[in-house]
Amino acid sequence: MTLTLRSIFICMLLIILSSNQAKAQATGNAIKASIGFGSSSSYYLEDYGNQDEIDVIGGGLYFQGEYIIGVKSWLSIRPYAGALFTSVDKNQNLQNQPQYKVTTNAFLLGGKIRLCAPIPWVAPFIEGGIGTSIGKFETITPAVNFNKSDILLHIPFSIGLAIGRRNNFEIAISGYFHPAAKQSSGVFALGYTFPLD
């Protein structure tokens, strides 16, 4: 057991010491633009009666801009502004069922912190933060009846890869959780970072 703990300690020490040499993301300021596909879904799986449990989902467009404040090669602060517009397709197969839907049409504002592995060419990252959504939210299911134009708290979370020689390109999967509306939004996005320094 002590040999395992010693090995983990040595590996962590080597990673920390070598992180000063590698540049996963540049320190300094930059702007990042992202675009992608977004979907909104209820927190709950719903039972339509005659059918198996089905998740109520809406899909649409997502875009976002971030101002990047690079603190270290592995840490950055990212205020952001963006938008998410989702709608539900009419399903003709549900003739005698109520029209359940989950949609989000909102502007997103907030701040995130990114932790990025200092690895050249392909750098995995994780982000988390807090923000606000301003717009219209619909979560109409048997368990929830939320239909408001409001300002709501959201919690953003992302995982992804920064790729390229300077890690300017990004592929990410993000989630925006809206506890008041009992819905979450999932996003698959591509991004590009423009250095300012």
Side-chain angles (χ1 to χ4, degrees):
M1 182 68 159
T2 58
L3 181 62
T4 305
L5 290 175
R6 187 178 301 146
S7 299
I8 291 172
F9 176 75
I10 291 170
C11 287
M12 292 301 291
L13 186 63
L14 289 173
I15 290 171
I16 290 169
L17 291 175
S18 66
S19 67
N20 290 335
Q21 302 300 321
K23 300 281 185 193
Q25 60 185 4
T27 56
N29 299 333
I31 293 176
K32 186 186 99 176
S34 301
I35 190 164
F37 173 78
S39 68
S40 299
S41 65
S42 168
Y43 277 1
Y44 311 103
L45 289 175
E46 305 296 346
D47 186 1
Y48 286 110
N50 296 332
Q51 300 174 352
D52 295 329
E53 290 182 342
I54 296 175
D55 198 9
V56 182
I57 295 176
L61 178 66
Y62 163 85
F63 57 90
Q64 181 173 287
E66 298 177 13
Y67 181 74
I68 302 166
I69 304 164
V71 179
K72 298 281 187 186
S73 65
W74 53 272
L75 174 67
S76 63
I77 299 168
R78 297 169 172 253
Y80 63 88
L84 177 64
F85 303 105
T86 64
S87 61
V88 178
D89 290 332
K90 303 268 189 220
N91 189 344
Q92 301 301 325
N93 296 329
L94 300 176
Q95 292 294 331
N96 297 322
Q97 300 294 339
Q99 281 299 315
Y100 302 135
K101 60 182 173 178
V102 179
T103 64
T104 304
N105 292 299
F107 293 99
L108 312 169
L109 300 169
K112 302 182 282 189
I113 293 176
R114 175 183 286 190
L115 298 174
C116 188
I119 302 169
W121 290 96
V122 178
F125 63 83
I126 185 168
E127 295 176 338
I130 192 161
T132 185
S133 300
I134 304 164
K136 183 167 177 61
F137 305 87
E138 290 181 302
T139 309
I140 314 260
T141 69
V144 181
N145 186 6
F146 187 93
N147 185 0
K148 287 186 181 177
S149 294
D150 208 347
I151 299 172
L152 301 180
L153 167 83
H154 72 252
I155 301 164
F157 177 80
S158 301
I159 58 171
L161 294 173
I163 19 184
R165 183 175 178 191
R166 297 173 194 239
N167 298 117
N168 286 353
F169 296 96
E170 291 183 8
I171 300 170
I173 297 172
S174 304
Y176 294 89
F177 302 96
H178 296 94
K182 302 287 192 244
Q183 66 171 255
S184 60
S185 301
V187 172
F188 175 77
L190 302 174
Y192 185 77
T193 302
F194 303 92
L196 297 177
D197 296 336

